[in-house]
Amino acid sequence: MHNLIIDTPLGEINFFVFGVTPGVKVRLDAVPLSPRLPAGMSIDSCLGILLQLNCREPAEDLIFEFRLRDRKYDSHSYDGGQHLYAMSWENEQTQLMIGTEDEECLNARLPQEQKYEYCPLGHDEKGISLTLPDLKKGSQCSFQFIVAWQDFPAAEEGACWHAVDVRHADLLKEKGSPG
């Protein structure tokens, strides 16, 4: 198992990759982002969590997910939209949102043999899980979660939602990675 832990005002978030075999090279990075937001909106912080895979052998049943380790929130909800699968958590001080590409967006950039025939995403109170497609030997691919938060009372309605709605190509560009 490969993991990356980040700290947020609502506690630690642990990002995991399950099911990795020795023939799969995994890179998991936190990439600071300055997302494009509508005029007048701002956030306190935004990070892209980038998973990059290089398969020297076929890989099946890989899962990329995150879990909030603490319960420092009062409420949570699903906040997805077109091309975005996202969850938000709030307490009296902070809103935290984490999102990723939805099935339609993933299928638009994946090779034909990796396209999903079902929704690979699931969520519960503590996080989101993405089941990765079966990968052939020689496959190189990447997946993402975007994390954003803002403190109240300055929090602006929708700012975190816009912040986590990052195109995968833009995250790769920020990281300096080839598509």
Side-chain angles (χ1 to χ4, degrees), residues 6 13 20 46 50 60 63 93 95 106 138 141 178:
I6 65 166
I13 302 171
V20 177
C46 188
L50 179 63
E60 298 177 343
I63 297 172
Q93 293 85 32
Q95 178 188 35
L106 286 164
C141 54

Side-chain angles (χ1 to χ4, degrees), residues 32-47:
L33 296 175
S34 297
R36 289 181 234 132
L37 300 174
M41 289 189 173
S42 65
I43 55 166
D44 294 330
S45 189
C46 188
L47 290 170

Side-chain angles (χ1 to χ4, degrees), residues 119-168:
C119 182
L121 294 152
H123 69 273
D124 63 20
E125 179 179 342
K126 292 278 195 171
I128 296 175
S129 177
L130 170 62
T131 301
L132 304 184
D134 290 345
L135 304 171
K136 294 182 178 181
K137 180 178 180 176
S139 293
Q140 293 182 352
C141 54
S142 55
F143 301 89
Q144 71 187 36
F145 284 113
I146 308 295
V147 182
W149 64 84
Q150 60 183 346
D151 288 336
F152 296 121
E156 298 154 13
E157 184 71 32
C160 281
W161 189 90
H162 288 285
V164 301
D165 192 16
V166 174
R167 289 178 351 114
H168 194 68

Side-chain angles (χ1 to χ4, degrees), residues 166-179:
V166 174
R167 289 178 351 114
H168 194 68
D170 293 341
L171 176 59
L172 291 173
K173 189 178 196 182
E174 286 290 325
K175 173 69 172 117
S177 299

Side-chain angles (χ1 to χ4, degrees), residues 27-62:
R27 184 174 176 136
L28 194 55
D29 294 301
V31 181
L33 296 175
S34 297
R36 289 181 234 132
L37 300 174
M41 289 189 173
S42 65
I43 55 166
D44 294 330
S45 189
C46 188
L47 290 170
I49 307 301
L50 179 63
L51 169 63
Q52 296 174 295
L53 300 167
N54 184 350
C55 299
R56 295 182 300 257
E57 64 183 42
E60 298 177 343
D61 303 322
L62 297 177

Side-chain angles (χ1 to χ4, degrees), residues 83 101-112 114-116 143 167-168:
H83 296 167
E101 301 166 291
D102 69 6
E103 174 189 356
E104 180 182 354
C105 200
L106 286 164
N107 277 341
R109 68 177 186 81
L110 289 172
Q112 184 61 39
Q114 293 177 355
K115 291 188 186 299
Y116 292 102
F143 301 89
R167 289 178 351 114
H168 194 68

